[in-house]
């Protein structure tokens, strides 16, 4: 009898942990998008005020960020510094493609970031700044919908974790 109770507790605990992991994944995507927004804000202000070369701007931004966003900006800066690619667009796309498997970004997010990269290095400082603001606007809209969804789904994940654990325990015993 004691083994059934211990087993039941373990099953319920494991399903609750799974629910918390799913919740954590959603929260991580929100955090990654907020970091990218910070990066695009830094990019826009650098374009407006510093007028540094693009590789230095990217490296400077990567030092101020953390996580996946820092990798994207840092790798782009390294590629531009070493002249690995013919255009800054190719460097940006390569960085995104390398970092994408380690991130929680959706395909729509990556496409929006690639749109930013299409004009990277081809326009003057003012237009580069406006493209940065366009990426920020996309992230703001996405974050708004993700936060609303996260608040609704967080309660659902937790409830489903407990209830699915109870269901498994009832079915087994």
């Amino acid at each position: 009898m004691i083994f059934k109770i211990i087993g039941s507790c373990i099953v319920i605990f494991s399903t609750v942990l799974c629910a918390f992991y799913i919740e954590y994944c959603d929260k991580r995507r929100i955090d990654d998008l907020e970091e990218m927004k910070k990066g695009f804000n830094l990019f826009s202000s650098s374009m407006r005020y510093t007028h540094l070369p693009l590789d230095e701007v990217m490296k400077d931004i990567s030092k101020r960020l953390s996580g996946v966003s820092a990798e994207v900006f840092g790798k782009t800066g390294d590629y531009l510094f070493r002249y690995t690619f013919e255009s800054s667009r190719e460097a940006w796309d390569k960085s995104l493609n390398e970092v994408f498997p380690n991130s929680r970004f959706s395909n729509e997010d990556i496409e929006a970031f690639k749109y930013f990269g299409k004009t990277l290095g081809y326009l003057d400082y003012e237009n580069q700044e406006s493209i940065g603001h366009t990426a920020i606007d996309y992230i703001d809209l996405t974050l708004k919908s993700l936060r609303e969804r996260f608040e609704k789904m967080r309660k659902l994940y937790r409830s489903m974790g407990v209830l699915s654990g109870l269901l498994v325990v009832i079915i087994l015993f």
Side-chain angles (χ1 to χ4, degrees):
M1 184 64 173
I2 189 96
F3 291 117
K4 285 184 179 183
I5 293 172
I6 292 172
S8 299
C9 291
I10 290 172
V11 167
I12 292 171
F13 182 72
S14 64
T15 56
V16 169
L17 280 181
C18 288
F20 278 119
Y21 177 74
I22 293 170
E23 179 184 333
Y24 167 76
C25 290
D26 283 352
K27 180 68 174 145
R28 186 171 164 201
R29 179 173 178 216
I30 291 172
D31 293 342
D32 285 349
L33 281 172
E34 286 175 345
E35 276 296 304
M36 280 301 279
K37 178 182 175 183
K38 182 179 173 185
F40 288 130
N41 273 326
L42 290 169
F43 178 82
S44 295
S45 64
S46 293
M47 286 292 112
R48 175 176 235 163
Y49 298 115
T50 63
H51 300 290
L52 292 171
L54 197 54
D55 63 329
E56 290 181 27
V57 169
M58 293 293 184
K59 287 180 184 178
D60 184 49
I61 291 171
S62 73
K63 291 176 186 174
R64 297 179 185 188
L65 298 177
S66 63
V68 176
S69 304
E71 287 182 53
V72 171
F73 283 98
K75 286 184 179 195
T76 303
D78 288 340
Y79 290 147
L80 292 173
F81 180 73
R82 290 185 280 150
Y83 300 108
T84 308
F85 296 97
E86 290 186 23
S87 69
S88 54
R89 174 187 181 183
E90 292 174 4
W92 179 257
D93 287 346
K94 177 71 173 166
S95 301
L96 281 176
N97 291 334
E98 287 179 2
V99 173
F100 178 65
N102 300 329
S103 71
R104 299 286 182 199
F105 295 132
S106 68
N107 289 330
E108 293 85 23
D109 298 338
I110 296 297
E111 289 303 316
F113 300 154
K114 284 186 178 182
Y115 174 75
F116 168 78
K118 286 181 184 178
T119 59
L120 196 61
Y122 288 113
L123 302 173
D124 62 353
Y125 290 111
E126 292 172 2
N127 289 333
Q128 289 284 358
E129 179 186 359
S130 68
I131 293 299
H133 287 299
T134 303
I136 292 167
D137 292 341
Y138 165 78
I139 291 174
D140 283 337
L141 289 172
T142 305
L143 280 174
K144 181 181 176 186
S145 65
L146 281 177
R147 284 187 183 121
E148 290 171 359
R149 180 180 169 267
F150 179 73
E151 289 303 317
K152 291 178 187 175
M153 299 303 283
R154 178 171 44 173
K155 295 175 187 173
L156 176 71
Y157 292 149
R158 292 178 181 175
S159 300
M160 290 301 293
V162 172
L163 292 175
S164 62
L166 289 174
L167 178 67
V168 170
V169 168
I170 289 170
I171 288 174
L172 289 177
F173 301 110

